[in-house]
């Protein structure tokens, strides 16, 4: 079966649901490849006449906003003990280095971290829960959350959709080669982000070793 014919068999409702769910869970604080799923779905919509990119972008935005809001509520209720528990259960994703990197971003940029965090894999996972832990006023968080969700989810969907439309003839011509290339690009992006996260963690540990911060007697 030709790739184009196979893509046409994928139900649109299933694509909308998977994208919204994966992005929502990632925004809540569960390490999942939300960006890769969104990019793949947007590319699929450019080749699938039944998948509406507007509906896809809307589902992705709703998943991002709702997931972040739930993460905020969990973080506000659980506080730092929650981060400590997550660090023990999922050390690869919630290590001290990762949390410290996210906290420094909040200290430096405040509410803008929630907005721009949408475009950074590490902050996309931490923004909601950490904003709750740090007791950021919800109205500020909500505005940044909604605007960031719209710009990231809607913008990514639009860009990838139009790139897919332009490349449609190329994909048709080379069939499976195009599909494999898209998958390899996605995997490469994920590995690069993991490398950056490990590098940030190593730099944080090095700074702590060279110049440890004094701990107040009352802590």
């Amino acid at each position: 079966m030709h790739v184009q014919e196979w893509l046409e068999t994928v139900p649109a409702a299933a694509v909308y649901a998977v994208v919204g769910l994966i992005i929502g869970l990632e925004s809540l604080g569960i390490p999942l490849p939300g960006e890769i799923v969104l990019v793949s779905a947007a590319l699929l919509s450019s080749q699938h006449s039944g998948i509406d990119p507007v509906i896809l972008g809307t589902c992705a935005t709703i998943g991002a906003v709702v997931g972040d809001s739930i993460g905020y509520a969990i973080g506000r209720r659980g506080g730092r003990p929650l981060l400590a528990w997550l660090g023990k259960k999922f050390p690869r994703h919630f290590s001290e280095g990762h949390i410290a990197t996210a906290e420094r971003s909040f200290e430096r940029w405040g509410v803008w971290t929630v907005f721009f965090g949408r475009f950074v894999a590490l902050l996309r996972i931490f923004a909601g829960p950490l904003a709750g832990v740090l007791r950021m006023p919800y109205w500020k968080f909500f505005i940044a959350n909604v605007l960031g969700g719209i710009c990231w989810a809607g913008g990514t969907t639009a860009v990838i959709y139009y790139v897919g439309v332009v490349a449609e003839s190329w994909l048709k011509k080379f069939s499976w080669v195009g599909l494999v290339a898209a998958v390899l690009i996605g995997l490469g992006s994920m590995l690069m982000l993991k490398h950056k996260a490990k590098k940030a963690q190593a730099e944080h540990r090095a700074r702590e070793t060279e110049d440890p911060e004094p701990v107040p007697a009352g802590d």
Side-chain angles (χ1 to χ4, degrees):
M1 182 184 293
H2 193 279
V3 174
Q4 187 70 18
E5 296 174 356
W6 176 75
L7 292 178
E8 292 289 343
T9 66
V10 179
V15 175
Y16 301 147
V18 168
V19 169
L21 180 62
I22 295 297
I23 291 178
L25 291 175
E26 182 191 38
S27 300
L28 188 153
I30 299 176
L32 291 173
E35 189 167 43
I36 293 176
V37 170
L38 179 59
V39 169
S40 301
L43 181 61
L44 178 60
S45 71
S46 69
Q47 310 299 316
H48 193 314
S49 58
I51 300 177
D52 189 330
V54 175
I55 298 177
L56 177 64
T58 300
C59 290
T61 300
I62 292 174
V65 173
V66 172
D68 242 16
S69 295
I70 295 175
Y72 175 92
I74 293 174
R76 191 174 181 89
R77 184 177 181 82
R80 292 194 175 277
L82 173 64
L83 296 180
W85 179 82
L86 289 172
K88 293 179 181 178
K89 293 292 183 180
F90 309 101
R92 289 183 59 187
H93 301 288
F94 291 90
S95 65
E96 292 181 2
H98 286 156
I99 294 174
T101 299
E103 280 192 285
R104 285 199 300 272
S105 298
F106 270 92
E107 291 172 0
R108 184 173 183 180
W109 304 108
V111 71
W112 287 105
T113 304
V114 178
F115 178 86
F116 289 110
R118 279 287 167 203
F119 301 87
V120 181
L122 176 65
L123 291 179
R124 202 161 44 243
I125 298 173
F126 284 110
L130 195 54
V133 170
L134 298 177
R135 301 283 174 172
M136 177 181 290
Y138 181 72
W139 68 270
K140 290 184 178 181
F141 169 81
F142 180 76
I143 293 174
N145 181 24
V146 171
L147 293 178
I150 292 173
C151 291
W152 175 70
T156 299
T157 301
V159 170
I160 298 301
Y161 172 79
Y162 286 112
V163 168
V165 169
V166 172
E168 181 177 4
S169 59
W170 186 85
L171 288 173
K172 283 183 177 179
K173 182 177 180 180
F174 292 96
S175 188
W176 286 104
V177 176
L179 185 61
V180 171
V183 172
L184 291 177
I185 291 172
L187 290 175
S189 300
M190 181 176 65
L191 292 174
M192 182 179 67
L193 291 172
K194 284 187 176 181
H195 174 72
K196 288 184 177 180
K198 288 182 179 179
K199 184 178 179 181
Q201 183 178 0
E203 291 176 351
H204 169 72
R205 288 177 177 174
R207 280 193 294 269
E208 284 187 336
T209 303
E210 294 174 0
D211 187 23
E213 297 182 1
V215 178
D219 289 355

